[in-house]
Amino acid sequence: DMYSKGALFLNTLRHVIDNDSLWFGIIKGIPQDFKYQSINTDQILEYFNQKTGMQLRPIFDQYLRLTEIPVLELDMKEKPSGNILQYRWKANAEGFAMPISYQTASGEKKWISPNSDWQKLEFGITEIKDLDFHTDRFYFKIEKD
């Protein structure tokens, strides 16, 4: 359903920006800055890019121009000396690299910045099974090996 996907995309974008005062300033600024105009997606994209200082085209492309949602591929290896998490995005938009947050077993919020290449995070004796990727804040699927 395109309406649900649109709402979930906006929620994802809000959390990618990770600054509620900036987010709500942008949302409230759109009707003011574009009043009495017909606008298109590219104008909104450029508005977001300008206001955030971020390059959001691949995220807009993945969610608005393609039907599939991105998949975060995870490969977890637990070892007595420490744990390794390998991760990457499986997405169709060229250059898709979206940061996402997760919560550790101790409740600490951390970020990773996956792209299409495998990346690695090493943990001490932390249970990597206890990592909570914020699927309530970002619209994506998870595939675990």
Side-chain angles (χ1 to χ4, degrees):
D1 180 22
M2 68 181 170
Y3 297 108
S4 296
K5 186 177 181 186
L8 292 167
F9 166 64
L10 288 174
N11 188 56
T12 296
L13 190 57
R14 175 184 175 192
H15 290 287
V16 166
I17 293 169
D18 195 37
N19 179 331
D20 275 351
S21 62
L22 177 59
W23 170 257
F24 287 110
I26 292 169
I27 296 301
K28 291 175 184 176
I30 291 171
Q32 291 300 312
D33 294 341
F34 293 105
K35 67 179 163 188
Y36 309 120
Q37 297 180 48
S38 294
I39 59 173
N40 62 35
T41 305
D42 285 331
Q43 288 171 287
I44 292 295
L45 167 62
E46 289 309 315
Y47 187 78
F48 270 92
N49 284 345
Q50 176 198 25
K51 296 290 184 182
T52 63
M54 301 169 84
Q55 177 47 260
L56 299 168
R57 178 167 297 281
I59 296 171
F60 271 70
D61 287 347
Q62 182 66 44
Y63 286 99
L64 299 182
R65 293 185 172 92
L66 300 166
T67 57
E68 299 85 9
I69 64 168
V71 175
L72 181 64
E73 294 182 304
L74 301 175
D75 182 19
M76 301 179 187
K77 293 184 177 20
E78 293 189 54
K79 299 179 178 182
S81 60
N83 299 307
I84 297 172
L85 172 69
Q86 291 183 300
Y87 58 91
R88 71 175 176 184
W89 282 121
K90 185 166 67 173
N92 301 95
E94 185 176 328
F96 185 82
M98 182 176 74
I100 60 166
S101 60
Y102 66 93
Q103 187 169 324
T104 64
S106 66
E108 185 179 0
K109 178 181 172 183
K110 293 193 173 193
W111 287 84
I112 57 173
S113 296
N115 58 36
S116 61
D117 298 323
W118 284 105
Q119 296 176 58
K120 180 169 51 171
L121 255 181
E122 294 184 27
F123 295 91
I125 56 171
T126 304
E127 285 282 326
I128 58 178
K129 288 182 264 184
D130 293 334
L131 297 179
D132 178 22
F133 287 91
H134 292 140
T135 55
D136 58 332
R137 299 177 187 173
F138 301 89
Y139 184 41
F140 68 99
K141 295 178 184 175
I142 294 179
E143 283 183 6
K144 295 180 182 180
D145 266 348

